[in-house]
């Protein structure tokens, strides 16, 4: 299955994509994580991306599309993949459909995670991310001791772009550039919508139902 996750910043795309990737045994590709790894390694791509990410703006399409295209060409992605954070613009969505079609592939489903703006902002402000395994936690719903990741023991940090000014800019970018994608996937009959106002486990169960994945214990 070739899947993408839509949804505003803080909707829980990363958490759901991580779980789904384990369950379906297909790679989870987060463009945000790829950029952040490049930033911390000080690569040229990282230096470029940081100029945009630190302000809450989108990294330009040509850079992002080239990066994802290279990743999806790897043999590991031929059995299926889950994209998290891509596409984020109409140009990216069209490029994705075009280059997958070149080797007879397509996106099967776009999963839109729906959440109120107030909950989004609250989740982003309370989010802490593991520097080692990249899992994220909500301080309000997880008992976190000593800022340590319960899964791998790595340090938990607040992302640089999870501060009020940058969050506001990311929301503007989402409404302007990414929200129109919902209609793009509705028109091509690939959209499924899942409510995420509830607990993580409920959201995940709703995703499996929407994808018609049955008979799997979670
Ligand atoms: P979130 O969904 O919480 O905003 P991500 O980790 O997906 O976080 O992305 C962090 C930042 O990386 C974005 O604000 C943006 O600057 C950049 N980015 C990630 N994916 C893309 C993309 N597909 N196109 C352009 N910029 C992107
Ligand atoms: Zn961890």
């Amino acid at each position: 299955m070739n899947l993408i996750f839509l949804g505003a910043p803080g909707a829980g795309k990363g958490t759901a994509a991580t779980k789904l990737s384990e369950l379906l045994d297909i790679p989870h590709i987060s463009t945000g994580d790829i950029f952040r790894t490049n930033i911390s390694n000080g690569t040229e791509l990282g230096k470029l991306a940081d100029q945009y990410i630190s302000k809450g703006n989108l990294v330009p399409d040509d850079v992002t599309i080239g990066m994802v295209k290279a990743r999806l060409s790897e043999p590991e992605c031929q059995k299926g993949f889950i994209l998290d954070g891509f596409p984020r613009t109409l140009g990216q969505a069209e490029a994705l459909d075009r280059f997958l079609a070149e080797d007879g592939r397509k996106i099967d489903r776009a999963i839109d995670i729906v959440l109120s703006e107030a909950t989004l902002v609250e989740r982003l402000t309370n989010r802490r991310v593991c520097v080692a395994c990249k899992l994220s936690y909500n301080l309000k719903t997880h008992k976190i001791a000593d800022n340590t990741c319960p899964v791998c023991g790595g340090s938990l940090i607040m992302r640089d772009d999870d501060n009020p000014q940058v969050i506001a800019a990311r929301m503007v970018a989402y409404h302007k550039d990414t929200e129109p994608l919902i209609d793009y996937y509705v028109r091509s009959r690939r959209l499924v919508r899942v409510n995420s106002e509830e607990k993580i486990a409920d959201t995940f169960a709703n995703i499996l139902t929407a994808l018609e994945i049955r008979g799997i214990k979670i």
Side-chain angles (χ1 to χ4, degrees), residues 10 27 46 61 67 75 94 96 100 144-145 150 164 170 175 207 215:
D61 273 0
M67 182 178 90
E94 288 168 350
L96 178 65
L100 287 177
I144 300 291
R170 286 158 65 202
H175 290 305
I207 290 172

Side-chain angles (χ1 to χ4, degrees), residues 19 32 35 43 45 74 97 117 141 171 180 196 208 218:
K19 285 191 80 167
F35 287 135
T43 68
L45 173 64
E74 290 174 16
D97 279 344
E117 187 120 353
T141 51
M171 290 301 171
S196 181
L208 296 185
I218 50 169

Side-chain angles (χ1 to χ4, degrees), residues 27-77:
H28 166 202
I29 301 157
S30 157
T31 43
D33 281 349
I34 301 176
F35 287 135
R36 280 185 291 277
T37 302
N38 276 277
I39 292 170
S40 53
N41 293 341
T43 68
E44 287 307 312
L45 173 64
K47 284 179 202 151
L48 178 86
D50 192 35
Q51 297 171 18
Y52 298 90
I53 294 178
S54 61
K55 298 189 187 79
N57 297 329
L58 295 184
V59 179
D61 273 0
D62 54 343
V63 177
T64 313
I65 291 168
M67 182 178 90
V68 172
K69 194 172 173 182
R71 180 73 176 90
L72 293 181
S73 306
E74 290 174 16
E76 187 200 20
C77 296

Side-chain angles (χ1 to χ4, degrees), residues 134-146:
K134 318 281 182 227
L135 286 175
S136 60
Y137 300 94
N138 186 313
L139 289 185
K140 285 249 171 93
T141 51
H142 287 87
K143 284 200 197 77
I144 300 291
D146 310 326

Side-chain angles (χ1 to χ4, degrees), residues 188-208:
S188 50
R189 298 176 184 281
R190 290 177 288 179
L191 191 84
V192 296
R193 303 195 98 167
V194 171
N195 187 295
S196 181
E197 207 71 40
E198 310 298 326
K199 292 197 293 282
I200 293 175
D202 295 341
T203 304
F204 195 63
N206 292 341
I207 290 172
L208 296 185

